[in-house]
Amino acid sequence: MTKRTAAITAVGKYVPDYILTNKELETLVDTNDEWITTRTGIKERRILKEPNQGTSFMAVKAAQDLLTKANLDPKDIDMVIVATATPDLPVAATAVYTATEIGATNAFAYDLQAACSSFLYGMSTAASYVESGKYKKVLLIGADKMSSIIDYTDRATCIIFGDGAGAVLFEPNDENLGLQDEYLRSDGIGREFLKIDAGGSILPPSEETVKNRQHFVQQEGRTVFKFAVSNMADVAEKMLTRNNISKEEVNWLVPHQANKRIIEATANRIELDADKVMMNIHRYGNTTSATLPLLLADYEKELKKGDNLIFAAFGGGFTWGAIYLKWAYNS
């Protein structure tokens, strides 16, 4: 009997029109293009500027892009997962609204939050539902409006993040393509190094928390960088070792786009040439939950059926992991 696997069969994307360049950031904080580029690899990032538009706006746009490209009826979708660290509202799930807006009236939906690892964890979740045989079409969207939680007077964070969304469809596969293996990790030691202090149950919103700018992302850059470099590289190497894959057999590394130096360190650990490393950080910055699907959308035309892809991500919490996936189609 053929083992059922879960494969990605379609992708979609959306990025806002407004481009925030390094040059513009020079007018906001004490920085310059050379400093940002050297330390992060980022040249520009997209920002969702329009009023009353949140993460769901971009999630819907990315999903609609996928539906159009795949010529898919949204009523055929069984479930919708939105991986996000910036939901529209604290309680009402962004995924539920997104599913309704795209016409996925037969789907159930929920949000998944694991900071910058949200989409990677979502891949595991979506694939498991498909592999179980309960559902045949699972739409996984990674979307974040990071500009809504960034302090544009804080040089340490405002240069890094951008807004965007990407979507993938997981479906059953009987050719042993799709998700092959995963290694997902977390460690609560990271809670103090990358966080938003206020707005949760420990410190609810108040006039004082707003005045103290406690609703913005804070991070200890050096600590996060050190953990990210070692852990992303470790899990990527583990994927190759335990699946007996040589560096020559890896077609693509799909790394979370947090910092160019972290990406390069991960690639170097598995001795992968630069032309096998997906990268778009220079154009989008760190879009958190959207980085991995945006990479797939940008590189889709270069992907071939049977290609070996190694995904790796690291996020606040700390959360991190790697996934080995075989690509299922020629675009």
Side-chain angles (χ1 to χ4, degrees):
M1 185 175 175
T2 306
K3 179 177 179 279
R4 177 192 288 111
T5 54
I8 292 174
T9 59
V11 301
K13 67 175 277 192
Y14 174 80
V15 290
D17 293 331
Y18 187 86
I19 299 173
L20 176 59
T21 64
N22 289 348
K23 207 71 182 168
E24 184 176 349
L25 281 172
E26 290 177 10
T27 68
L28 302 177
V29 290
D30 180 19
T31 191
N32 59 69
D33 175 64
E34 183 187 8
W35 193 90
I36 297 170
T37 304
T38 301
R39 284 160 178 77
T40 68
I42 302 168
K43 300 295 282 187
E44 57 189 42
R45 63 291 288 147
R46 302 298 183 100
I47 304 295
L48 186 62
K49 283 274 195 178
E50 289 72 21
N52 303 316
Q53 289 182 354
T55 293
S56 66
F57 175 83
M58 297 184 292
V60 167
K61 290 284 190 182
Q64 289 172 337
D65 182 46
L66 181 151
L67 293 169
T68 299
K69 286 167 59 181
N71 193 27
L72 177 66
D73 185 344
K75 292 183 175 62
D76 292 336
I77 296 171
D78 298 308
M79 69 176 296
V80 177
I81 302 171
V82 172
T84 185
T86 56
D88 285 0
L89 305 169
V91 175
T94 301
V96 175
Y97 180 74
T98 299
T100 297
E101 285 295 291
I102 64 172
T105 53
N106 294 316
F108 73 100
Y110 61 84
D111 294 354
L112 190 155
Q113 207 280 72
C116 291
S117 300
S118 295
F119 189 85
L120 189 82
Y121 282 24
M123 289 176 67
S124 170
T125 305
S128 296
Y129 276 114
V130 171
E131 289 166 1
S132 74
K134 289 182 178 179
Y135 307 105
K136 293 182 178 179
K137 295 184 189 299
V138 178
L139 179 64
L140 171 64
I141 305 167
D144 267 307
K145 185 182 177 181
M146 293 303 295
S147 61
S148 67
I149 56 171
I150 295 300
D151 181 354
Y152 285 93
T153 67
D154 177 14
R155 184 178 71 167
T157 56
C158 73
I159 65 170
I160 298 169
F161 295 97
D163 304 338
V168 303
L169 183 70
F170 274 94
E171 294 187 274
N173 183 276
D174 58 7
E175 300 177 280
N176 199 34
L177 301 171
L179 200 147
Q180 305 293 309
D181 193 16
E182 63 181 52
Y183 185 69
L184 307 179
R185 309 298 297 159
S186 63
D187 188 341
I189 192 175
R191 180 166 165 150
E192 292 306 306
F193 303 119
L194 180 53
K195 61 179 179 176
I196 295 176
D197 277 330
S201 58
I202 293 177
L203 192 60
S206 68
E207 185 178 346
E208 186 178 1
T209 63
V210 173
K211 187 170 65 178
N212 293 336
R213 309 182 78 80
Q214 290 176 278
H215 296 270
F216 295 121
V217 170
Q218 304 168 38
Q219 75 165 356
E220 285 189 28
R222 288 185 180 179
T223 304
V224 174
F225 180 87
K226 183 180 72 173
F227 272 89
V229 166
S230 61
N231 286 313
M232 268 183 65
D234 285 349
V235 292
E237 185 177 45
K238 192 177 189 73
M239 276 296 98
L240 270 61
T241 303
R242 77 182 198 178
N243 288 282
N244 197 26
I245 306 167
S246 68
K247 62 181 181 181
E248 290 79 18
E249 292 173 304
V250 176
N251 298 101
W252 295 100
L253 174 67
V254 191
H256 171 55
Q257 306 288 290
N259 183 297
K260 188 179 180 183
R261 291 185 293 169
I262 297 172
I263 297 167
E264 290 172 342
T266 304
N268 289 338
R269 173 71 73 85
I270 58 176
E271 301 178 341
L272 212 59
D273 293 337
D275 61 0
K276 287 186 172 184
V277 181
M278 292 188 186
M279 200 178 307
N280 57 16
I281 190 171
H282 55 292
R283 290 192 288 140
Y284 305 138
N286 181 354
T287 55
T288 304
S289 309
T291 62
L292 299 182
L294 281 175
L295 284 173
L296 293 179
D298 284 354
Y299 282 82
E300 183 184 17
K301 291 181 180 176
E302 298 183 49
L303 295 172
K304 297 179 178 62
K305 186 176 181 179
D307 276 359
N308 291 316
L309 277 60
I310 303 295
F311 293 78
F314 182 89
F318 290 129
T319 59
W320 71 97
I323 282 176
Y324 166 35
L325 179 137
K326 280 185 172 291
W327 197 248
Y329 66 95
N330 296 312
S331 65

